[in-house]
Amino acid sequence: MKTNKNKDSISTLKLLPATILALISANSLEDKEVLAYMITRSIKATANPSSLLEENIRNSRKNKKQPPSLHKSPLFDCGCFDCYTSYWLRWDSSPNRKFIHQVIEAFEEHLANGKLQSSKKANNRSKRRERVSE
């Protein structure tokens, strides 16, 4: 079953631009999984920051009803503090941590540029509509 989890988490990496994807292809499976987790968190935070807050609230409510150790190993699709910390520690202890950090930054820049471009396009469309309606 761990293989399926790895495949699911690694599929997140397909969202990376081809140049970044080529650079990380030589990384270990563990580094790829850590990178995929961090990118997933970044996407969720960028796309809908309130969803992360809601997820954390839901997880904290669950934690009050259940023992502190919800799961022994971190879950890829879990955003609880323990899972995030576990992935962060794996990232921090990796010999490739600087490289992983650079990939995350490059991906976040890629997302930001995409947002800037899409907002510029939307601005241009609204300006065109204003000119047409005048």
Side-chain angles (χ1 to χ4, degrees):
M1 180 145 163
K2 186 169 177 141
T3 324
N4 289 339
K5 285 183 185 179
N6 285 339
K7 285 181 183 177
D8 292 343
S9 62
I10 301 303
S11 68
T12 302
L13 298 178
K14 292 178 183 175
L15 300 172
L16 294 172
T19 51
I20 296 174
L21 197 54
L23 289 172
I24 64 165
S25 64
N27 281 13
S28 70
L29 185 60
E30 184 169 337
D31 282 351
K32 288 178 185 176
E33 187 178 4
V34 168
L35 180 59
Y37 181 86
M38 295 303 207
I39 285 174
T40 300
R41 293 286 117 199
S42 178
I43 291 169
K44 287 184 177 186
T46 304
N48 189 1
S50 63
S51 70
L52 284 179
L53 179 61
E54 291 168 9
E55 183 179 343
N56 287 338
I57 291 169
R58 266 194 319 271
N59 286 336
S60 68
R61 287 181 185 152
K62 285 181 193 175
N63 288 344
K64 288 178 184 175
K65 295 176 186 174
Q66 296 176 355
S69 178
L70 281 176
H71 26 264
K72 291 181 182 177
S73 61
L75 300 176
F76 182 80
D77 56 347
C78 181
C80 75
F81 182 74
D82 290 338
C83 288
Y84 178 82
T85 303
S86 178
Y87 275 99
W88 189 90
L89 287 172
R90 286 170 55 188
W91 163 68
D92 193 47
S93 63
S94 169
N96 297 317
R97 71 180 167 274
K98 287 182 183 178
F99 177 72
I100 292 170
H101 180 73
Q102 290 171 341
V103 170
I104 292 168
E105 282 186 339
F107 180 70
E108 288 174 347
E109 286 176 23
H110 175 75
L111 285 180
N113 288 338
K115 280 189 169 187
L116 286 175
Q117 289 174 358
S118 64
S119 66
K120 285 180 185 177
K121 288 178 184 176
N123 258 348
N124 288 340
R125 278 187 230 131
S126 64
K127 286 178 184 177
R128 278 188 236 131
R129 285 186 200 132
E130 288 172 8
R131 282 188 226 137
V132 170
S133 62
E134 290 176 351

